[in-house]
Structure formats: C-alpha cells, structure tokens
C-alpha cells in the first residue's frame, strides 16, 4: 500500500494525496501563498509532515483543520484519504447566511435608474439574525 506508519512526506504532496486540494500544483501554490500551516507555522511546500501534526489549509474562504493519522505519498481514493486524517474543521456557513449577489444577465445592457436602485437596496440589506 502507499501508507507508512513512520517517516515523513512533503506537505504539498500530503494535502494533495488526501484530497484537500485538486492538483499538486494547487497545493504548492497554497503553500507558497501562506495558506497552509503545520502546527501553527506557515510552511514551504517541501516542509515535512509527520503523524500527529496539525495541518491547516485555507482555500476558497474556508479553513480545513486536520490532524495527520497516516502518511501517504500517492493520491488514493476518497474513502482511504478520509481515514488518513482526523477532521477538526469548523462547519461551513449555511447557504442562507451568504449575502445575495445582485447580478444581471450577460448582454442585458446598462442598468436603468430603477435597476440601480434595486441593486443598491440589495447591497444594503441588514444582516438577518
């Protein structure tokens, strides 16, 4: 199998192999951009990850917090990947909490004064409790 009990692996390869990011290059870019932390320290892509380390990955406005349970060197299926870490991530915000985005159809032309007022009204809605 591709798992090991001891040893270490690069952090970018590990977050790719457990399917936290879609591609290896995206994992490397996330590390270089400061979106990956291991034990509360910003890391470079080649930083080693060991069993028991806490890895925080911040992508698309959501932070994933996982604890390494198994070292993987190659990408595996989703069920095997989920067994390789303990997920301590906060739950994602509900869809209702997202602010409605005012969008116009492509090619609809410039908004009229009435359309602009409606867009302004949508943008200044008070947050719902």
């Amino acid at each position: 199998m591709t798992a090991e009990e001891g040893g270490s692996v690069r952090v970018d390869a590990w977050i790719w192999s457990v399917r936290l990011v879609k591609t290896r290059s995206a994992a490397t870019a996330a590390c270089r951009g400061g979106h990956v932390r291991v034990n509360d320290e910003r890391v470079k892509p080649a930083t080693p990850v060991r069993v028991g380390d806490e890895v925080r990955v911040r992508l698309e406005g959501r932070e994933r917090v996982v604890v390494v349970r198994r070292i993987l060197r190659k990408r595996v299926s989703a069920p095997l990947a989920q067994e390789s870490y303990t997920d301590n991530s906060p739950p994602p915000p509900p869809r209702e909490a997202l602010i409605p985005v005012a969008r116009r159809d492509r090619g609809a032309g410039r908004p009229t004064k009435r359309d602009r007022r409606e867009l302004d009204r949508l943008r200044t809605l008070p947050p719902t409790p």
Side-chain angles (χ1 to χ4, degrees), residues 26-127:
T28 303
C31 292
R32 286 193 180 131
H35 301 293
V36 178
R37 292 178 170 266
V38 175
N39 298 327
D40 288 330
E41 291 183 19
R42 287 177 61 178
V43 295
K44 294 181 178 180
T47 303
V49 173
R50 294 176 178 80
V51 174
D53 285 349
E54 180 185 70
V55 179
R56 293 176 175 264
V57 181
R58 190 182 61 222
L59 293 171
E60 299 169 1
R62 181 169 182 230
E63 185 173 43
R64 300 284 309 267
V65 181
V66 297
V67 177
V68 180
R69 288 175 40 191
R70 186 188 302 166
I71 297 296
L72 297 176
R73 297 191 188 281
K74 294 185 178 179
R75 195 166 172 99
V76 294
S77 66
L80 286 176
Q82 287 180 344
E83 293 174 3
S84 301
Y85 60 85
T86 304
D87 196 356
N88 297 333
S89 304
R95 288 187 173 259
E96 295 82 30
L98 299 175
I99 299 172
V101 178
R103 292 197 177 152
R104 292 179 49 81
D105 294 332
R106 189 172 180 90
R110 293 182 61 181
T112 63
K113 190 170 189 175
R114 180 180 180 187
D115 293 338
R116 285 195 308 271
R117 286 182 180 154
E118 289 176 7
L119 291 173
D120 289 340
R121 195 174 309 122
L122 275 176
R123 288 185 186 127
T124 57
L125 281 178

